[in-house]
Amino acid sequence: MRSEEYKYITTRFFEHDIYTFPMKVGDLLQIQYVAPRGVSTEQGAVQRILNKKRISQIKDFILAGNSFVNTFILNWTDTENLPRIKKETLNIPLQGRRAQILDGQHRVAGLQEAVNVKPEISETEVLVSLCIGLKTQDAAKIFLNINSEQKPVPKSLIYDLFGEAVDDREQAINRVTDIISFLNNNEESPYFQFVKYPGSPRTSGMIDLAIMVNAMKPYFEKDGAFDRLKLTEIETQQKIIINFYTVIKETYNKTNKIWDKKIENPFIKAAGFSGAFDFLIETLIPRCQADKKFSVDHMATLMKLDSDDLITVTDIKSLDGKTAKKKIKSFFNDNFLQDVPSSSDEYEF
């Protein structure tokens, strides 16, 4: 039986040793297998059913010349042919299904499809973290630790870190959808659970993802407003946007809780959202940047919204989209306070 020696480092997790080492892709593909929970009855079966679309995307990612830095976590289950653990090396049998995948099943499937196209990929190396003989309970602890405590990095953040690695045409869409996801999933966001995604049930009082994307995308393109104003980090952009709509929400909720009465909320309409966003970009952000203040309090001072005289759905209901959008933007500009002294030396959020 063919085997291979690997130099390893050891870590300990839930009283189990985990051995981490580099392994050739071809060898990983030889020994791994998926034991899906609810399908396989063997110990350690915690994985989900494979997603074919995700596998295809990973295959394309690999064929484009990319690889993985994070480890593939395996659980060795072959009790008759155990790895031989030495002081500095691990001797591992390399034939047959011997190790369950605890994390990395889609990456492995994508690697397999990529190898089918370019066999030389099997000679490249990836990092493997190997557990030996885990029972289902301990395997589940590792799986939940990975998938519950760790959050995926926003796709568009790659551009912030390695701008040359991402096509500019894709960046604007990725950045906007990342920010919209943040607005929809953050409990402190005025748009928490307000966004209707494609395929989700039609519910009154929600704003379509496409409406938000179309309103925001031009300002996130190369040489768009955020680029020109050098406000390019996703955390900064998210904070500015959430602060702006928080000012609007708080003002509207002083009057009959209109914001939370979604059918009466003008800012979940296409004209309301896009008109407000145009005002944010064209008027409010340049002033806040000059003042070096993007806080909710400072935005509220500048916007000077009167809770007794707010624009409503009724005010734009009979107007065409273009006119309604213009009316929303004019509402904010008419209330905007031009002269507010500032003495900040650093940005405030």
Side-chain angles (χ1 to χ4, degrees):
M1 181 183 299
R2 187 169 77 89
S3 64
E4 189 71 48
E5 295 274 343
Y6 299 94
K7 288 187 175 181
Y8 64 84
I9 61 171
T10 309
T11 53
R12 197 147 179 87
F13 190 84
F14 290 127
E15 299 184 355
H16 291 278
D17 288 328
I18 300 179
Y19 306 94
T20 299
F21 50 88
M23 174 180 262
K24 286 185 178 180
V25 167
D27 293 340
L28 171 62
L29 295 177
Q30 277 281 338
I31 65 171
Q32 61 77 33
Y33 68 96
V34 175
R37 63 180 182 270
V39 177
S40 175
T41 59
E42 68 174 84
Q43 289 292 324
V46 296
Q47 271 294 3
R48 295 162 288 192
I49 303 299
L50 290 167
N51 182 310
K52 292 182 179 180
K53 181 178 179 181
R54 188 174 172 192
I55 293 170
S56 179
Q57 291 171 338
I58 292 172
K59 178 197 73 175
D60 293 341
F61 173 80
I62 296 165
L63 291 176
N66 300 297
S67 189
F68 306 104
V69 177
N70 49 327
T71 67
F72 294 79
I73 302 179
L74 307 180
N75 176 31
W76 193 273
T77 58
D78 183 358
T79 56
E80 295 183 2
N81 298 282
L82 291 168
R84 293 197 299 274
I85 304 168
K86 302 179 182 179
K87 185 176 181 180
E88 295 183 351
T89 62
L90 201 62
N91 185 282
I92 299 179
L94 293 176
Q95 291 175 293
R97 289 161 39 103
R98 304 186 186 282
Q100 297 169 337
I101 300 177
L102 300 185
D103 184 61
Q105 63 165 345
H106 286 93
R107 283 178 286 145
V108 163
L111 278 167
Q112 182 64 73
E113 292 203 2
V115 166
N116 293 341
V117 177
K118 293 180 67 174
E120 59 268 29
I121 291 174
S122 65
E123 294 299 310
T124 62
E125 289 188 330
V126 291
L127 279 177
V128 169
S129 293
L130 180 67
C131 312
I132 299 175
L134 292 181
K135 301 299 183 183
T136 299
Q137 184 177 5
D138 287 330
K141 287 180 181 179
I142 293 175
F143 179 84
L144 291 173
N145 178 270
I146 295 165
N147 291 282
S148 298
E149 298 302 322
Q150 298 181 17
K151 295 182 180 180
V153 174
K155 188 175 182 181
S156 68
L157 185 58
I158 297 171
Y159 190 87
D160 290 356
L161 302 175
F162 310 103
E164 70 282 358
V166 179
D167 191 303
D168 287 323
R169 291 171 297 179
E170 297 178 1
Q171 164 58 13
I173 290 291
N174 290 338
R175 175 52 54 92
V176 167
T177 52
D178 283 340
I179 291 174
I180 294 170
S181 177
F182 170 80
L183 292 174
N184 188 59
N185 296 322
N186 187 324
E187 292 185 5
E188 296 181 359
S189 165
Y191 284 94
F192 176 62
Q193 302 298 300
F194 271 34
V195 182
K196 182 190 178 301
Y197 284 85
S200 61
R202 169 62 65 179
T203 303
S204 62
M206 296 187 75
I207 181 168
D208 280 354
L209 173 67
I211 288 173
M212 301 178 79
V213 170
N214 289 335
M216 297 167 67
K217 179 177 173 290
Y219 298 116
F220 289 88
E221 292 175 342
K222 188 175 182 181
D223 298 324
F226 283 100
D227 192 23
R228 292 196 309 272
L229 294 171
K230 302 189 184 305
L231 299 168
T232 55
E233 295 183 357
I234 188 170
E235 292 86 357
T236 297
Q237 295 165 350
Q238 288 174 165
K239 192 64 176 175
I240 289 171
I241 293 168
I242 201 172
N243 284 0
F244 170 61
Y245 285 105
T246 295
V247 173
I248 301 173
K249 175 183 176 179
E250 289 180 352
T251 304
Y252 270 74
N253 273 351
K254 290 176 183 177
T255 307
N256 298 324
K257 303 290 182 184
I258 289 177
W259 186 274
D260 295 323
K261 295 178 179 178
K262 296 180 181 179
I263 296 177
E264 301 177 28
N265 185 341
F267 301 102
I268 60 173
K269 308 295 183 184
F273 182 85
S274 58
F277 203 81
D278 285 352
F279 164 78
L280 168 66
I281 301 299
E282 297 169 11
T283 304
L284 186 59
I285 286 181
R287 177 54 194 272
C288 288
Q289 189 178 46
D291 296 341
K292 295 187 176 181
K293 288 185 177 182
F294 289 94
S295 66
V296 171
D297 288 344
H298 189 62
M299 287 185 178
T301 300
L302 291 173
M303 291 164 68
K304 200 182 177 183
L305 298 179
D306 185 350
S307 59
D308 293 327
D309 187 24
L310 298 175
I311 195 165
T312 66
V313 169
T314 303
D315 295 321
I316 61 174
K317 190 173 184 179
S318 61
L319 303 177
D320 63 83
K322 185 175 181 180
T323 305
K325 177 181 174 180
K326 184 177 179 180
K327 188 175 181 69
I328 292 286
K329 188 161 61 170
S330 295
F331 162 73
F332 286 109
N333 281 318
D334 290 345
N335 285 281
F336 187 66
L337 192 61
Q338 298 292 337
D339 300 317
V340 178
S342 175
S343 57
S344 295
D345 294 322
E346 298 180 357
Y347 282 124
E348 295 180 13
F349 290 94

